Amino acid sequence: MKKIILLLGIISIILSMNGQANAQKPGKYEHKALIAGISNGDISKDLLIGNGSIECDNPDFEIIYYSFSFIRKNGDLTVYSGKGNTLSESMKAEIKGLEAGSKVVIDDIVARTKGDKIIQLQPIVLLLN
């Protein structure tokens, strides 16, 4: 009986230590992505088009690829794949045609650290004004 109580005590300590370790682990996204210095919120079309460079809050990280999406007036979802950190000319042309109040999402943003580790960054959600 003493062995069972001791075993349960050890298991309890291990589980509580594991819970503390998990509580200290960072969330899915350790870093934010930014475009024109904005990670979420309102942005003008001109600013988005003029400064269409996606960056990480850690300047040492290199953006490898991302997805760019929005909903057209007819309700169709349009998704583009981008490489590098710059919005393509076709993405910029699409932005020009969107109405104020349209939502643009840049997600699946993948970056490479200086140590060649691949990480995913927090999505960017923008509302055009």
Side-chain angles (χ1 to χ4, degrees):
M1 184 70 170
K2 287 183 181 179
K3 288 182 181 180
I4 292 174
I5 293 173
L6 180 60
L7 182 59
L8 289 174
I10 292 171
I11 291 171
S12 173
I13 290 170
I14 291 171
L15 289 175
S16 72
M17 289 173 65
N18 188 28
Q20 290 173 356
N22 286 339
Q24 294 173 355
K25 288 182 183 176
K28 180 178 178 184
Y29 304 110
E30 294 180 40
H31 293 279
K32 279 194 227 180
L34 307 163
I35 193 161
I38 301 169
S39 62
N40 287 301
D42 294 344
I43 190 168
S44 72
K45 286 198 245 184
D46 291 338
L47 181 59
L48 182 56
I49 292 167
N51 192 354
S53 179
I54 304 165
E55 300 173 349
C56 180
D57 60 0
N58 183 333
D60 293 334
F61 293 178
E62 172 191 8
I63 305 298
I64 302 171
Y65 59 86
Y66 60 91
S67 291
F68 172 87
S69 60
F70 60 92
I71 297 177
R72 294 184 183 278
K73 290 179 189 178
N74 65 4
D76 289 345
L77 174 66
T78 301
V79 180
Y80 285 89
S81 294
K83 289 185 180 180
N85 71 329
T86 307
L87 297 179
S88 70
E89 291 305 314
S90 29
M91 292 175 196
K92 292 177 182 180
E94 294 281 12
I95 293 168
K96 286 180 185 177
L98 293 174
E99 295 179 352
S102 296
K103 186 185 295 186
V104 173
V105 178
I106 303 169
D107 63 353
D108 297 327
I109 307 166
V110 176
R112 179 182 294 122
T113 69
K114 280 196 170 186
D116 283 335
K117 180 180 174 186
I118 303 299
I119 63 167
Q120 187 169 3
L121 303 179
Q122 179 180 354
I124 300 172
V125 180
L126 303 170
L127 193 61
L128 299 179
N129 59 27

